[in-house]
Amino acid sequence: MNLKELVTGVSGEKQFLLGNEAAVRGLIEAGVSIAATYPGTPSSEIGNVLSILAKDANIYFEFSTNEKVAMEVAATAAASGLRSFTFMKHVGMNVAADSFMTTAYSGVNGGMVILSADDPSLFSSQNEQDTRNYARLANVPILEPSNCQEVKDMVKYAFDLSEEFGLPVIVRTTTRVSHMRGVVEFGDIKDNSSNNDNHWKRGHFNKDPSKYVPVPAFAGDMHVRLWDKIHKIEKLTNESDLNKISVDGNKKYGLIASSSAYNYAFDVCKFNNLDVNILKLGFSYPFPQQKVAEFLKDLDEVFIVEEVDPIIEKETLAVIGDKNLNVTVHGKLDDTFPLYHEFNSDIVAEGLNKTFNFIKDDEVNYSSSLTKLQKDLPSRAPVLCAGCPHRAMYYGVNIAIEELGLKTSDVIFASDIGCYTLGINPPYNAADYLLSMGSSVGDGCGFSVSTDQKVVSFIGDSTFFHSGVSPLINAVHNKHNFVLTVLDNRITAMTGGQPNPGIPVDGMGDEAPEVSIRKLALACGCDYVRVINPFNLDQVVKTYVEAFQRNDTAVIISKAPCTLIKGLDKKPPVNFIESNCNNCDKCVNQFACPAISKVDGKISIDKSQCDGCNVCIQVCKYGALEAGR
């Protein structure tokens, strides 16, 4: 499909869309004017598509410096009467939480929708927290689509719901829903055309401090109004078609599920002919207590199938207690289903089989088959790409540590969120502690005053802009002693190559001012700031040796483009000269470029992988590697 069809497609047309592409069509149909994000898998494709289509759709779109800023851009747009959309991965909600919580108090005028993409099983995340907790914490409605059509429809409906009650609305997807493909039927597009020369519509903010300034004198009343809205929305959830009951006869077993977990549960029940009534929750908070009570009243037992936390299960138990129902609940809390990780049909089948016994004794269950598969398959850890500038930095810092006569236990590596987290792997072993986006700088502060060990913090360029500047100011002001390495590979690499403030292009492809990391570090008060070429190994080692010997916050900026950036000129791959090789294997065992391997006792260069960065030539002291021609 041509992505432009997300804008030009007419009502009734059907397209085979990715879940994240369906979300874009939903916000286009809803007539959104403003959208903002910080890229994070599994939500990244939404931003990638918007960066291409925003102008055609009359939408202002930006990759904000972090999720909190994106939340604030969307919130102020909604306060100005425009429909706004912000989206992020689940851990991005932590960054945005401070401002997000207050949007529920102040409310909105134009519709505001927040899509949070959860990541059960941590495919690309540091945790698998459940966004449904945020809906309950902030007291805002949450919708849970289970397929691509529902993603599009629920995003669109969420704007109407938001404007009806003056509240932001969360749409919670998961990795499986974000990245599944399915047929999506288009609906009508709400007009969002502008009356001026801008590509996007402009609103107007009507001043009302009692509504928008949550000082204690006003915030108390705001909280009362919020609860009034939630009680009204709860009546709506009990009547909503997004919460569907499938009842087939007078069955004694029931099942309640939401999001992608519903798909697995439905398939298992259907293909095994299980006698189970099903309640699918698509509008899951405020919790539809009346509808759930109605569903439960004639049941003996009910199964709760959900990812990740037992949220529906606890709400259901509360309904059973409140209504004095005699229904046995099977879910995560009684070990029918796992308390963690992504589900699939086999996991759900194993849980249901504990009651229904429909799996034959000679069938291999999921747990044992998975264990066998894991043992049989060779393991392969993810690696930095051939030609990645980060590899040279990790190799160089370890050489500098050796030259200074330090032990590995004398140095702490504080890492961060990005491709460079792969420095945790041997032979670099350059990641000892990690908390969250931007935390490596704050971690450097803490370790520097808590231990006598040397500290090296690693952070990417996009992550530095995201949340590394504030802790750097803290480091300078409090006289912390550590080395901060900013790995500036000229892109937001890990999430697919989105722009950041350090490059001269914005989220819609227009020319934009480039913010200098060097000047930022100097402005923060750092006395030692060096910009180096990571492919010059001698420079890397020399700079680290200098920085380690200082007693302040030293900043080293490694500036070289990600090898995956399109359009880069590639150098010829290196050549191997067997007669010069002394079999020290340093290029394989210490530098560990995936383009270099040893086959049948001989060094081999994979010409299809080699990027021609030529760092390996500097690693080899015997002239066995030479630049390609």
Side-chain angles (χ1 to χ4, degrees), residues 328-544:
T328 301
V329 176
H330 302 293
K332 294 172 177 284
L333 299 178
D334 71 342
D335 293 326
T336 298
F337 303 110
L339 274 164
Y340 38 74
H341 297 168
E342 183 182 51
F343 284 6
N344 58 37
S345 295
D346 291 318
I347 290 175
V348 174
E350 285 186 21
L352 293 175
N353 188 63
K354 294 172 184 177
T355 297
F356 293 102
N357 297 311
F358 57 90
I359 298 178
K360 298 177 181 177
D361 292 338
D362 59 351
E363 292 181 356
V364 180
N365 66 31
Y366 173 79
S367 299
S368 61
S369 62
L370 179 60
T371 301
K372 183 177 185 301
L373 183 64
Q374 290 172 332
K375 289 181 179 178
D376 292 345
L377 288 175
S379 61
R380 179 189 181 277
V383 296
L384 297 169
C385 301
C388 176
H390 305 339
R391 176 177 289 103
M393 295 299 291
Y394 287 134
Y395 181 84
V397 72
N398 279 300
I399 296 299
I401 290 169
E402 287 181 15
E403 288 192 2
L404 289 168
L406 297 171
K407 301 175 184 177
T408 54
S409 59
D410 294 330
V411 181
I412 300 172
F413 294 110
S415 193
D416 223 297
I417 305 296
C419 302
Y420 45 89
T421 314
L422 294 173
I424 190 176
N425 293 327
Y428 320 115
N429 301 311
D432 298 315
Y433 194 79
L434 187 156
L435 290 175
S436 62
M437 289 284 287
S439 65
S440 63
V441 192
D443 296 340
C445 296
F447 282 127
S448 72
V449 297
S450 303
T451 77
D452 292 323
Q453 295 158 283
K454 295 288 186 181
V455 183
V456 185
S457 295
F458 290 100
I459 192 169
D461 49 341
S462 184
T463 310
F464 179 73
F465 290 118
H466 177 283
S467 47
V469 179
S470 293
L472 182 57
I473 295 170
N474 181 81
V476 173
H477 178 71
N478 291 295
K479 301 181 290 295
H480 294 309
N481 177 17
F482 66 98
V483 180
L484 171 61
T485 306
V486 183
L487 300 166
D488 181 6
N489 61 2
R490 317 301 297 142
I491 207 72
T492 309
M494 190 179 188
T495 51
Q498 297 85 1
N500 66 59
I503 63 173
V505 178
D506 67 16
M508 294 193 287
D510 293 330
E511 186 177 341
E514 179 178 339
V515 179
S516 168
I517 296 174
R518 174 182 172 274
K519 290 181 180 179
L520 265 177
L522 290 170
C524 289
C526 297
D527 291 328
Y528 186 92
V529 180
R530 298 291 185 270
V531 180
I532 65 172
N533 174 9
F535 298 128
N536 184 336
L537 196 53
D538 286 341
Q539 185 186 33
V540 173
V541 175
K542 178 184 176 182
T543 307
Y544 270 120

Side-chain angles (χ1 to χ4, degrees), residues 571-576 607 610 612-614 617 625-629:
K571 295 179 181 178
V574 301
N575 296 317
F576 172 62
K607 303 285 187 178
C610 180
C613 73
N614 293 344
I617 298 173
L625 298 169
E626 68 173 7
R629 296 180 177 83

Side-chain angles (χ1 to χ4, degrees), residues 26-40:
L27 67 93
I28 289 173
E29 289 187 8
V32 165
S33 298
I34 306 291
T37 189
Y38 181 84

